[in-house]
């Protein structure tokens, strides 16, 4: 399951969320994936569960890394926009359109920052399920 890894649009928060939703497909379907690929005791000899778990581990790592990179990139971009708007706001106190734009960007920044928390929950759930099903078949490197 390859996750899209192109440049995320940080301008539109709805588009940003949709991209993350699509990229979280592997996490949303991990239980199904494990149920269909990791054999029960009666089918143990027919499938290489160690290899399957290793491939799933790598897919999860890649997906988690790319999502985190995209979220942090968008947070950095939006923070930069907020900083610029704050500086402009200090110069022109009476510009209501500028104030509205600043508040809109600040809200978007807070929403993007909250996606980091969502990401942590999604990742923790996926690793818990992965470890429950794959711990006897595959031992991931200690970097996790």
């Amino acid at each position: 399951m390859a996750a899209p890894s192109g440049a995320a649009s940080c301008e539109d928060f709805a588009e940003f969320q949709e991209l993350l939703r699509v990229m979280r497909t592997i996490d949303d379907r991990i239980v199904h994936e494990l149920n269909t690929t990791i054999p029960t005791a009666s089918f143990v000899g027919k499938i290489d569960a160690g290899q399957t778990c290793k491939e799933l581990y790598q897919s999860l790592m890649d997906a988690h890394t790319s999502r985190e990179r995209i979220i942090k990139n968008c947070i950095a971009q939006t923070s930069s926009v907020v900083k610029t708007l704050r500086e402009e706001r200090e110069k022109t106190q009476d510009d209501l359109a500028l104030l509205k734009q600043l508040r809109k960007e600040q809200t978007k920044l807070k929403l993007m920052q909250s996606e980091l928390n969502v990401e942590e929950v999604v990742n923790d759930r996926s690793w818990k399920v992965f470890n429950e099903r794959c711990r006897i078949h595959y031992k991931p490197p200690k970097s996790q």
Side-chain angles (χ1 to χ4, degrees):
M1 255 185 199
S5 60
S9 172
C10 303
E11 298 297 315
D12 181 4
F13 185 72
E15 188 178 319
F16 171 76
Q17 273 192 313
E18 179 63 16
L19 175 65
L20 290 177
R21 186 189 66 75
V22 169
M23 292 179 76
R24 286 179 177 142
T25 301
I26 188 172
D27 293 273
D28 294 341
R29 296 186 181 160
I30 189 168
V31 172
H32 178 322
E33 181 80 17
L34 287 167
N35 285 342
T36 58
T37 59
I38 304 301
T40 58
S42 59
F43 293 102
V44 137
K46 298 180 176 142
I47 296 172
D48 184 359
Q51 183 62 31
T52 303
C53 285
K54 183 178 181 179
E55 289 169 3
L56 183 58
Y57 171 82
Q58 194 55 52
S59 294
L60 282 171
M61 286 298 291
D62 293 346
H64 294 176
T65 302
S66 62
R67 288 196 313 257
E68 183 179 6
R69 183 178 29 79
I70 286 171
I71 293 169
K72 287 182 176 180
N73 181 42
C74 283
I75 288 172
Q77 285 181 26
T78 307
S79 293
S80 177
V81 170
V82 167
K83 181 181 176 197
T84 303
L85 289 172
R86 275 194 186 132
E87 290 168 356
E88 288 179 33
R89 173 83 175 130
E90 288 176 12
K91 295 174 189 167
T92 55
Q93 296 286 324
D94 300 335
D95 191 345
L96 292 177
L98 183 63
L99 178 61
K100 185 176 178 182
Q101 181 66 25
L102 174 61
R103 287 192 177 145
K104 179 182 167 197
E105 291 296 323
Q106 287 172 327
T107 300
K108 184 168 66 169
L109 178 60
K110 287 176 188 167
L111 291 170
M112 287 180 174
Q113 289 168 333
S114 73
E115 282 299 327
L116 277 177
N117 296 329
V118 171
E119 187 65 16
E120 184 178 348
V121 170
V122 169
N123 292 355
D124 287 348
R125 178 187 162 273
S126 294
W127 288 124
K128 180 178 183 255
V129 171
F130 175 85
N131 288 327
E132 285 172 359
R133 291 297 302 276
C134 284
R135 71 175 169 256
I136 60 173
H137 303 292
Y138 175 72
K139 299 283 186 229
K142 294 291 182 193
S143 63
Q144 183 191 344

